[in-house]
Amino acid sequence: MNFTAKGRKYGIDKFGVITQLDHRPFVYDPNYSAIYDSEQYKRGSDLLQALRAGFACASHGRPINSLMDVGYGNAAFINFVKKKLEITSANTKCGEVELSRDESGLIPYVYGHDITGVPLDGAYLMPEFVKADVYTFHDVLEHFPDCSFLKDLPTETICISLPYCHFHTEGLDWFENKYHHLKPDEHIRHFNAWSLTAFMNQYGWKVVAESGHEDIIRKGKDGLQNILSMAFKR
């Protein structure tokens, strides 16, 4: 099925994934990376990173020795898991968390694979995918024109968070006019839980966990789940 939204062409594949068919190269520059340093993203950041780290640890099922964060935005997640954390209190309603830290590291080996070409302080830039216990993709998988690299990732567990697209239940008008993650050329693919599951299955990955924990911080505006988090193993 093909259709048009915001004057751009989209199609739905056999997995139910909505893909922009006429996407053009998107320019990632320092101004783009600076978005993640804005007050909108800083608010509740520690709690968001703690939720992401907890989901990764629970999904992996045992202590994580090495982690590769793909995309890495402003390196907030990398810098968070590089430190050992003890959560002393959390106010999820206000998006606040109090932490005590030391330098021994929550995860001993943490790497970042940049997709923007913008260097960031505190992140280990890796020119290629290296072997790691866990790979994390926070708000990044929807940006890739070609995802075939997923088939050969040298990891045991993949954790993904991305916008939850409700096109299949809410329809075209919602997708075109109410879905604030509709960003032509930047967001090329749009998923819900079952389409992401089928999409990953084709590359040999099976779902082991699903969650909406990021909505504690990143609430949607229409009462629908905003961010989908899923974990996969071979």
Side-chain angles (χ1 to χ4, degrees):
M1 171 185 173
N2 294 339
F3 62 93
T4 301
K6 299 292 187 183
R8 307 303 293 272
K9 298 178 181 178
Y10 291 84
I12 303 176
D13 65 16
K14 63 182 179 180
F15 305 116
V17 179
I18 299 170
T19 303
Q20 184 184 347
L21 304 177
D22 60 351
H23 61 85
R24 305 162 188 155
F26 186 81
V27 178
Y28 296 96
D29 57 22
N31 290 331
Y32 180 87
S33 293
I35 293 172
Y36 296 97
D37 292 319
S38 66
E39 190 61 31
Q40 173 189 357
Y41 283 90
K42 286 183 177 179
R43 192 181 305 116
S45 179
D46 270 352
L47 178 55
L48 177 61
Q49 308 317 323
L51 291 167
R52 287 174 168 178
F55 183 70
C57 291
S59 299
H60 190 56
R62 62 179 185 278
I64 300 173
N65 188 59
S66 56
L67 181 145
M68 169 72 85
D69 188 43
V70 179
Y72 76 57
N74 65 349
F77 181 69
I78 288 176
N79 290 328
F80 186 90
V81 297
K82 280 166 59 179
K83 299 182 182 295
K84 184 177 181 180
L85 307 171
E86 179 182 353
I87 299 180
T88 57
S89 67
N91 185 337
T92 58
K93 185 176 181 180
C94 297
E96 299 175 352
V97 61
E98 295 180 9
L99 305 169
S100 61
R101 304 174 181 237
D102 65 37
E103 300 300 322
S104 59
L106 176 66
I107 298 173
Y109 301 98
V110 181
Y111 313 103
H113 182 86
D114 180 33
I115 69 164
T116 66
V118 179
L120 297 167
D121 292 339
Y124 302 114
L125 177 62
M126 304 300 293
E128 59 187 12
F129 293 132
V130 299
K131 185 176 181 180
D133 291 346
V134 174
Y135 266 57
T136 54
F137 292 81
H138 298 129
D139 299 305
V140 67
L141 193 65
E142 65 273 23
H143 295 249
F144 283 102
D146 181 4
C147 294
S148 59
F149 66 89
L150 292 167
K151 180 180 179 181
D152 299 315
L153 281 185
T155 187
E156 297 177 40
T157 306
I158 296 177
C159 295
I160 298 170
S161 66
L162 41 70
Y164 200 125
C165 180
H166 298 273
F167 174 91
H168 294 288
T169 56
E170 301 302 310
L172 178 58
D173 180 69
W174 175 88
F175 181 78
E176 189 169 23
N177 298 306
K178 298 180 180 180
Y179 179 48
H180 65 277
H181 297 292
L182 181 59
K183 301 178 180 181
D185 301 328
E186 181 186 356
H187 291 178
I188 297 171
R189 290 184 177 83
H190 304 274
F191 302 89
N192 60 14
W194 59 264
S195 65
L196 181 57
T197 298
F199 183 79
M200 294 297 290
N201 283 351
Q202 72 175 317
Y203 298 117
W205 297 97
K206 306 299 181 184
V207 64
V208 294
E210 177 185 341
S211 178
H213 58 266
E214 294 205 8
D215 278 28
I216 294 173
I217 302 297
R218 306 171 65 189
K219 297 177 176 65
K221 298 180 179 179
D222 50 11
L224 299 171
Q225 185 173 336
N226 185 36
I227 302 298
L228 170 65
S229 298
M230 301 188 77
F232 299 85
K233 291 179 177 288
R234 293 208 184 274

